[in-house]
Structures are given as structure tokens and as C-alpha cells.
Amino acid sequence: MNKLLLSLTVVLIASLAFGQSVKKMNISDLEAYIKQSEKPLVVNFWATFCKPCIEEIPYFQNTIKEKYDGLVDLVLVSLDLPEYFPYRLSYFGTQKNISVPIVWLNETNADYFCPKIDMKWSGAIPA
């Protein structure tokens, strides 16, 4: 089997096995996503290498489902490295039973994107 075919096969199997589709967004895409939301939206910035981030995700999911089911939405915005998109993030979502949308923020300049979210945000996570 040639290398290209083998690579494509691995990508296809990975995408089927890892469950959730992870979308790539730049900050303008994320701003549009937030603005189009018809209900309150909790936007959580996190990364797979951030232990407090990982620990709080189930709390967010459970609280929104139990107390605000259907009234509030949640989106998890990953600040992981480009190598993590999409397969590691998708696999992580499956492993951790994440049932809400995961997006990967395709931005590298925190001085540019952080003020668009909150003028006081330094870029520290969880946020």
C-alpha cells in the first residue's frame, strides 16, 4: 500500500473512531458564532495540557444540562497547538465524554485575539 493511501486510510479511520467533529475558527469566526447565538452562551477557553481546564469541563456540562437545559449553550474553545487539531482534540472529546461543541482557535497572537474577547484578559486559561 503506498504511503499516501495509508495516510488517507488512517485519517479516515481516526475521524470515524474519534467521534466529535472539531471545527477550526479564527477570532472573527468565533465572534460571529457568539453573535449568532440565540440564547446565552458560555464560552470556555481551555487546552488539553491545562489540568484545571480539564477538571472544570464536566462541571460546566453538568451544570448547564441540569439547571439550564435548553436555555443556555456551552462551547469549548481550545487553545491547543496546531498539531492537536483535529484528531487529538476529537479523541480527547470522546475520551472525556464531551457532548458540547469543541472548536479550535486558529490564532497565535494573544495580543490580537484576547482583547476581542475581554479587554482585561491576559490569555491565561482556564478562562
Side-chain angles (χ1 to χ4, degrees):
M1 188 179 285
N2 72 35
K3 289 182 182 181
L4 178 59
L5 184 56
L6 180 60
S7 295
L8 290 173
T9 303
V10 169
V11 168
L12 178 60
I13 291 169
S15 65
L16 293 173
F18 296 150
Q20 183 172 159
S21 171
V22 177
K23 294 179 183 167
K24 177 181 1 180
M25 291 187 181
N26 62 33
I27 193 63
S28 297
D29 298 332
L30 182 60
E31 288 176 306
Y33 182 87
I34 292 168
K35 286 179 184 173
Q36 66 84 32
S37 181
E38 295 179 3
K39 41 186 137 168
L41 178 65
V42 176
V43 181
N44 180 264
F45 292 88
W46 66 288
T48 58
F49 57 80
C50 172
K51 187 176 180 187
C53 300
I54 294 166
E55 290 175 353
E56 73 180 11
I57 290 171
Y59 170 78
F60 278 114
Q61 284 193 131
N62 293 338
T63 300
I64 287 173
K65 183 173 173 103
E66 292 171 8
K67 295 186 178 186
Y68 305 103
D69 194 24
L71 301 174
V72 175
D73 285 333
L74 169 65
V75 63
L76 302 177
V77 180
S78 168
L79 300 178
D80 279 289
L81 299 170
E83 305 84 71
Y84 284 57
F85 175 79
Y87 303 111
R88 284 187 185 179
L89 290 171
S90 182
Y91 179 71
F92 179 86
T94 300
Q95 266 189 321
K96 300 295 183 181
N97 296 318
I98 295 175
S99 59
V100 298
I102 298 174
V103 300
W104 175 67
L105 188 62
N106 186 22
E107 296 284 354
T108 57
N109 185 349
D111 291 335
Y112 171 69
F113 74 81
C114 288
K116 291 184 169 283
I117 301 302
D118 186 321
M119 291 300 294
K120 295 178 184 176
W121 183 34
S122 68
I125 52 175

